[in-house]
Amino acid sequence: MILVAGGTGRLGSLVVGRLVSRGLEVRVLTREPQQALHLAADQVQVMTGDVRDRESLGRATAGVDVVVSAVHGFVGPRGISPATVDRDGNANLVDAARVVGADFVLMSTVGADARSPMELFRMKHAAEQYAVASGVRTTIVRATAFVELWIDLLSKTAGRSGRPVVFGQGDNPINFVSVIDVAALVERAITDPATRGETFEIGGPDNLTFNDLARAVQTAGGRDRPPRHVPSAVLHLMAATIGHVKPELGRQARATLAMDRVDLTFDAAPIHRVYYDLPMTSVTEVLGLSTV
Ligand SMILES: NC(=O)c1ccc[n+]([C@@H]2O[C@H](COP(=O)([O-])OP(=O)(O)OC[C@H]3O[C@@H](n4cnc5c(N)ncnc54)[C@H](OP(=O)(O)O)[C@@H]3O)[C@@H](O)[C@H]2O)c1
């Protein structure tokens, strides 16, 4: 039995689908069972729980061989944060896996580091450290930014005004990976016990600026107007003011400021030398375009 915490999410849903189609037994942990309605109900056990609630994890991990963490607390709100979910919640999952003798597969981020300017990356680093020190047989999968998420956000804002919203200047190149490719690697990590002790890093073939991506989203949507920009000064102000009342908004403002200046480029080739049959989906393919 494989427990997927975050099995209702963008990545987790694809991972669950891949495991089910291999005929494996899958249990999904969710705070809200309604979120799991799109999963194959007859083939997936859905269990209510929260990674912040150790008791619920005790119930969810009964009889489990591999615990998968595809959760994050980046967008909040109220008590949901990288500290409570990505650091402490993942530590709870590791502890629960240890009790039942299960292996652990942790979804993390390329750039996870104690000194990162991004809280999420610091908390992912803490989770990695905890899992490795725990003695639980662990595989870590780090990914760059999921392009489908950013395409959705840009498309939504473009859909309303005809112009996608870009935070900051949007001219810093960033590596984007398709969640399809990440799901294929996570499936490999779950099903191949020989990967325990490994840390894999996966990115996509494209290092694009947000302005590039916004233009590509416009082309795919049959629009041609340039993106609107939320100036960096507004993001700084947001972080310093409303960010105190609504920490998730402060966190998002600080993260977008970091994404505007930190080196987030990545060479996708190495993992494909290890797993030559992993898909490598381009932004062009995700958008159904002939070129970006
Ligand atoms: N998005 C990216 O660009 C990116 C890049 C690199 C790595 N990652 C990592 O990849 C993984 C999946 O990301 P995603 O974008 O696919 O996520 P997503 O679609 O936003 O879904 C987040 C998931 O986390 C679960 N979750 C959040 N708080 C929880 C809690 N307290 N207890 C239990 N479950 C909780 C949610 O489950 P319910 O709402 O059903 O409870 C949901 O299934 C995450 O670990 C993320 O950090 C993402």
Side-chain angles (χ1 to χ4, degrees):
M1 173 68 76
I2 299 158
L3 174 70
V4 186
T8 59
R10 187 183 295 271
L11 172 68
S13 298
L14 287 186
V15 170
V16 167
R18 296 183 75 106
L19 297 173
V20 164
S21 62
R22 285 177 77 137
L24 296 167
E25 282 191 303
V26 182
R27 186 179 293 161
V28 164
L29 181 86
T30 174
R31 293 162 296 170
E32 176 46 70
Q34 294 283 332
Q35 302 276 20
L37 290 179
H38 63 287
L39 301 172
D42 49 336
Q43 290 154 301
V44 176
Q45 277 185 27
V46 176
M47 205 165 247
T48 306
D50 189 314
V51 295
R52 297 167 303 162
D53 170 6
R54 292 170 67 90
E55 238 175 72
S56 72
L57 299 186
R59 288 190 296 275
T61 48
V64 163
D65 307 295
V66 184
V67 174
V68 183
S69 169
V71 300
H72 70 84
F74 179 68
V75 288
R78 292 186 308 278
I80 302 284
S81 69
T84 60
V85 173
D86 296 273
R87 183 192 59 201
D88 302 342
N90 275 321
N92 290 339
L93 278 173
V94 170
D95 291 347
R98 190 199 289 115
V99 170
V100 294
D103 291 359
F104 185 59
V105 174
L106 173 67
M107 203 47 227
S108 184
T109 50
V110 166
D113 190 282
R115 290 151 304 167
S116 171
M118 294 199 229
E119 183 187 355
L120 178 68
F121 287 18
R122 294 194 299 275
M123 297 305 124
K124 289 291 195 194
H125 172 75
E128 290 185 3
Q129 298 283 101
Y130 191 89
V132 169
S134 71
V136 171
R137 292 176 302 278
T138 297
T139 309
I140 296 168
V141 178
R142 296 180 179 157
T144 60
F146 294 176
V147 72
E148 288 84 353
L149 169 73
W150 291 101
I151 288 174
D152 280 359
L153 293 173
L154 290 165
S155 302
K156 267 186 200 135
T157 53
R160 283 197 285 269
S161 67
R163 296 178 67 187
V165 171
V166 166
F167 293 93
Q169 293 187 323
D171 55 12
N172 188 36
I174 291 168
N175 186 271
F176 290 101
V177 66
S178 170
V179 72
I180 296 167
D181 304 354
V182 182
L185 180 59
V186 173
E187 176 194 358
R188 192 87 47 119
I190 294 166
T191 54
D192 182 0
T195 67
R196 302 296 168 254
E198 301 272 1
T199 297
F200 297 123
E201 294 200 321
I202 184 167
D206 302 289
N207 291 294
L208 296 177
T209 69
F210 271 119
N211 290 329
D212 295 332
L213 188 62
R215 272 191 291 275
V217 165
Q218 288 294 74
T219 305
R223 295 175 296 261
D224 58 7
R225 296 179 67 199
R228 288 172 292 154
H229 289 87
V230 178
S232 303
V234 172
L235 295 169
H236 280 292
L237 192 67
M238 222 173 110
T241 53
I242 190 166
H244 290 298
V245 188
K246 287 188 179 280
E248 66 276 12
L249 294 184
R251 186 157 59 238
Q252 285 164 41
R254 281 189 296 277
T256 48
L257 282 164
M259 288 181 94
D260 222 16
R261 65 181 166 81
V262 174
D263 181 5
L264 294 171
T265 58
F266 182 77
D267 175 9
I271 188 69
H272 291 273
R273 286 197 281 272
V274 180
Y275 294 120
Y276 61 88
D277 56 343
L278 266 191
M280 172 124 78
T281 311
S282 66
V283 171
T284 302
E285 289 168 297
V286 174
L287 283 167
L289 293 170
S290 50
T291 51
V292 167

